[in-house]
Amino acid sequence: MHPNIKGMAAALGLALLLAACQTQTAPRPGGGPGGGLGPQPTAESGTVAGFVVNANAGEGVPGSAVAAYEAGTDNLLGTTTTASDGSFSLDVAAGAVDLRFEKEGYAGSQVLNLRLDEEGVTRIAVIQREAFNPDWPTTPPQVTLGKVADGNVYEAAFGFIPYDVTVSPAAPLTTDLIYAALGKTPGSGFITGYRELFVSTNATGDRFLDPLRYAAAGPTTFQVVAYDTNGNRTQLFRYVEVSVPFINDVDLVPPELRSVMAVTLNKQIGFFSVQPQAAPEGANLYVDLAWLPKLDFSHAPNDAPYGYRVYRSFDGDDFELIGTVAGSTTFYTDASPLLAPGRTVHYRVTAFVGELESPPSNVLVTTPLDVFDVRLTGPGDGDVGVPVAPTFTWEASTTLSGYHYYAGAVWDTLTGENAWFASPASPMLVNRTSWTWNEDGAYTNTPLETLQRGRSYEWQLIEAYALDDPVHPTAVSIAADGLGLWFPFGVASTDHFTFTTAP
């Protein structure tokens, strides 16, 4: 492995989910005043499209019934069903709508007061988890947001926005989590970045949110997400404006985009092409970006950016704004369901203050790798009479690139002693599917020169990943990451075998 791999891995940051897409329509009966669909789209119609996913950067939820209502009412505007990849698209009357999502075995999910414009498509990604207990209520909790109303204007320089949130789950459930944030879709905090978090409480009390932490400027949203103990979810929008003083004497310098890394995990971690997709089934897929600020101190302190804007393109020409972060932040995580294995994506970043924005940074490109797994083949689970210098073998489900890296460990079940499956002389096995104990002589003249006779051992691959480039990687696919080189919480290997050596 390249010597900087671990350092690069440690620099990876995680943070936000956007979405888009198409689907087929499948009306459901009931809901209107006469049991029909209610008012149908007119010439002043809007379109809402996106994905329903089971976790941030997670896989799509197919077959979820989607219903759109006039906001704050039971006036049904239209229905559809998510496609096999979790995508959906629905044309309804423009204005504020409530969206409700239902599927057997899943918690209920709803989005309240989502504003649809008359032109263009309003895109959203919605999380719908499997119910913790399907026999418990699957009704999304009621959420009341106080002190924040549509149309409110706040001064960023004032430093805070007052609010309070009250959540009322269906009995006998209680509130699990409450998130509040500006200009983003809060969800599981590990991948969505900064947000206000409240745990195991039905009310936040009087709180204040600092717009500077979110680099909020101009029209934006105040959003609240609440989960109850069965995984039912409610997301509430309020449309507000943050006023940032316009500064004339500013010389903004574009940041230097230093790295992009597409990360594919073959086991979904629930943080709490032309056709876009959600992450592969049972997997997570996201892209980490990191940049270096560039400041021109000739106008200090006004040259320090208020924030950074992150742009993405799938063709290298048309860049779309996908996120904004505070000026003290130098990383971003793109967890959009639009990302897909093999679909090349381009990124660039700008700095801004008020209405002024720097030229764009350099562009970096990555192509996410597909999912792969590694299965152990020998010694097999439960094998006996294994030689004291065994040959360990495994096989990858798919060869993704020219660079697969492996390392493993063996545990003596009697003493608890363990040793690297790959030796200190070769800490990572590259493009290998076997390794014979002490084949490089690194353990010669030590107690680990051979295994002990008649002893029970456990073994597994603790590292198994593929890189698109061995020196300057831009994409990694992880089958196992027991050391947390790439993903801080680690990814467990699929197999964990036990064998006994010959007496």
Side-chain angles (χ1 to χ4, degrees):
M1 182 178 69
H2 187 265
N4 289 330
I5 289 286
K6 190 167 184 178
M8 291 169 58
L12 300 178
L14 297 174
L16 167 75
L17 185 64
L18 300 171
C21 209
Q22 57 98 49
T23 189
Q24 54 191 7
T25 57
R28 296 169 57 229
L37 291 179
Q40 298 303 294
T42 66
E44 297 180 352
S45 64
T47 299
V48 58
F51 282 92
V52 179
V53 292
N54 63 2
N56 285 305
E59 64 183 282
V61 178
S64 182
V66 185
Y69 296 83
E70 182 181 351
T73 75
D74 289 326
N75 183 19
L76 183 64
L77 302 177
T79 62
T80 188
T81 303
T82 57
S84 59
D85 61 354
S87 63
F88 71 95
S89 181
L90 190 61
D91 295 330
V92 296
V97 300
D98 296 340
L99 301 175
R100 302 174 190 172
F101 303 83
E102 298 179 357
K103 181 179 179 179
E104 185 175 357
Y106 280 72
S109 187
Q110 65 178 355
V111 177
L112 304 180
N113 197 42
L114 179 66
R115 184 178 294 171
L116 306 188
D117 295 328
E118 295 178 14
E119 298 181 359
V121 178
T122 300
R123 306 189 185 279
I124 188 170
V126 179
I127 295 176
Q128 186 175 22
R129 298 176 174 176
E130 291 189 43
F132 179 78
N133 185 338
D135 294 329
W136 291 356
T138 56
T139 303
Q142 296 181 6
V143 174
T144 302
L145 173 60
K147 302 184 178 68
V148 179
D150 286 338
N152 282 5
V153 179
Y154 302 95
E155 295 288 341
F158 192 54
F160 64 87
I161 297 174
Y163 73 96
D164 65 74
V165 178
T166 302
V167 179
S168 301
L173 304 176
T174 58
T175 302
D176 187 20
L177 298 169
I178 301 173
Y179 298 112
L182 277 175
K184 58 184 295 184
T185 304
S188 176
F190 186 75
I191 204 165
T192 55
Y194 192 81
R195 76 278 181 266
E196 317 298 321
L197 168 64
F198 307 88
V199 180
S200 300
T201 180
N202 290 334
T204 64
D206 293 330
R207 299 288 177 172
F208 301 92
L209 185 152
D210 185 356
L212 293 175
R213 291 182 178 269
Y214 299 88
T220 187
T221 57
F222 191 113
Q223 299 185 44
V224 174
V225 168
Y227 288 94
D228 65 28
T229 46
N230 202 29
N232 298 306
R233 179 182 190 266
T234 294
Q235 179 177 359
L236 172 64
F237 284 84
R238 289 287 184 267
Y239 293 85
V240 300
E241 183 173 345
V242 175
S243 176
V244 179
F246 184 81
I247 301 174
N248 293 311
D249 189 20
V250 176
D251 188 8
L252 289 172
V253 179
E256 178 187 351
L257 190 55
R258 301 296 297 273
S259 67
V260 297
M261 177 66 71
V263 181
T264 306
L265 308 179
N266 81 335
K267 297 172 184 66
Q268 186 169 111
I269 308 298
F271 308 103
F272 282 1
S273 156
V274 176
Q275 299 300 334
Q277 305 176 35
E281 183 177 357
N284 291 94
L285 173 59
Y286 56 88
V287 176
D288 279 319
L289 293 77
W291 56 87
L292 180 67
K294 299 288 188 178
L295 303 179
D296 179 0
F297 290 102
S298 62
H299 295 100
N302 290 338
D303 65 324
Y306 177 74
Y308 295 99
R309 292 174 177 148
V310 181
Y311 293 84
R312 180 185 63 210
S313 172
F314 288 105
D315 60 11
D317 295 320
D318 298 323
F319 281 84
E320 175 187 11
L321 176 64
I322 62 170
T324 302
V325 297
S328 59
T329 303
T330 58
F331 60 86
Y332 181 85
T333 296
D334 180 13
S336 170
L338 290 168
L339 301 170
R343 188 182 192 193
T344 299
V345 57
H346 309 248
Y347 294 94
R348 67 189 188 194
V349 182
T350 64
F352 74 94
V353 172
E355 298 177 11
L356 297 180
E357 186 172 10
S358 75
S361 71
N362 56 308
V363 175
L364 291 183
V365 180
T366 181
T367 302
L369 296 174
D370 207 344
V371 177
F372 85 110
D373 199 5
V374 176
R375 307 307 300 265
L376 307 184
T377 55
D381 195 21
D383 281 0
V384 297
V386 175
V388 293
T391 297
F392 298 91
T393 61
W394 59 92
E395 60 183 17
S397 61
T398 304
T399 300
L400 299 179
S401 71
Y403 309 98
H404 284 234
Y405 295 81
Y406 301 103
V410 177
W411 288 268
D412 186 323
T413 60
L414 179 64
T415 66
E417 185 179 23
N418 64 82
W420 275 91
F421 184 75
S423 73
S426 178
M428 286 291 171
L429 301 173
V430 183
N431 296 338
R432 295 277 301 271
T433 57
S434 68
W435 188 79
T436 301
W437 189 260
N438 198 35
E439 66 178 41
D440 55 7
Y443 294 133
T444 301
N445 297 321
T446 76
L448 293 173
E449 185 170 351
T450 65
L451 303 182
Q452 299 298 307
R453 292 189 174 276
R455 192 71 61 83
S456 175
Y457 290 90
E458 296 179 4
W459 75 282
Q460 67 178 128
L461 290 177
I462 56 174
E463 293 295 326
Y465 55 85
L467 298 177
D468 62 342
D469 185 279
V471 179
H472 302 292
T474 65
V476 59
S477 180
I478 303 169
D481 187 15
L483 299 177
L485 298 180
W486 297 100
F487 185 72
F489 296 150
V491 178
S493 58
T494 300
D495 291 335
H496 188 275
F497 284 0
T498 301
F499 65 91
T500 304
T501 55

